[in-house]
Amino acid sequence: LPEGIKIIGHGAFTRCGFTTVTIPNSVTRIESAAFVNNKNLTDVHISSTCGIEGNAFGYCKSLVNVYCSTTQPPYPYRQGENFFSEVSADLKIYVPTESVDTYKTANVWKDYADKIVGYDFN
């Protein structure tokens, strides 16, 4: 996705067939179901501390790698929302090594604590 996009709208990329998606730093919000049902999506790269709505990446059955390069986790718009429902059981969420504990205790991200792994983004 090109730099400059601010909002990825509700259902914007439903069933698009992407295998990899890079969310640029300019994005401030990923709305609900933005990438839902992309069955071939395996990798997501998030480079902004944006807001994410429920099921933004839901039902992406092949999603195994999420790379969040920001030290502060992207935040949920509503309490208790789930970003990654019905994705691969092998999902790993790679975050800056120094931020592992921050992600593991953050709202929504703590639900994926066992899938969060430290990573060197340099």
Side-chain angles (χ1 to χ4, degrees):
L1 302 177
E3 189 66 44
I5 292 175
K6 299 268 187 223
I7 296 172
I8 300 172
H10 171 80
F13 297 104
T14 298
R15 296 185 188 110
C16 277
F18 293 142
T19 56
T20 300
V21 170
T22 299
I23 309 298
N25 194 40
S26 59
V27 171
T28 58
R29 182 175 183 163
I30 302 171
E31 292 185 348
S32 64
F35 295 93
V36 75
N37 283 320
N38 275 284
K39 295 182 184 352
N40 297 323
L41 184 62
T42 59
D43 292 25
V44 172
H45 300 262
I46 302 173
S47 60
S48 70
T49 305
C50 58
I52 304 177
E53 291 185 5
N55 275 324
F57 301 96
Y59 304 94
C60 295
K61 304 274 186 191
S62 299
L63 184 57
V64 290
N65 298 308
V66 175
Y67 298 89
C68 291
S69 59
T70 60
T71 56
Q72 290 300 311
Y75 56 92
Y77 266 92
R78 290 174 199 86
Q79 192 78 330
E81 288 191 319
N82 184 332
F83 306 151
F84 308 109
S85 62
E86 300 294 325
V87 299
S88 172
D90 297 326
L91 177 70
K92 293 287 183 219
I93 301 171
Y94 299 95
V95 305
T97 301
E98 68 274 14
S99 300
V100 168
D101 290 337
T102 301
Y103 274 79
K104 285 186 174 188
T105 58
N107 189 17
V108 176
W109 296 98
K110 64 185 174 188
D111 297 339
Y112 306 101
D114 62 328
K115 300 187 178 297
I116 294 173
V117 177
Y119 186 81
D120 181 9
F121 285 91
N122 295 323

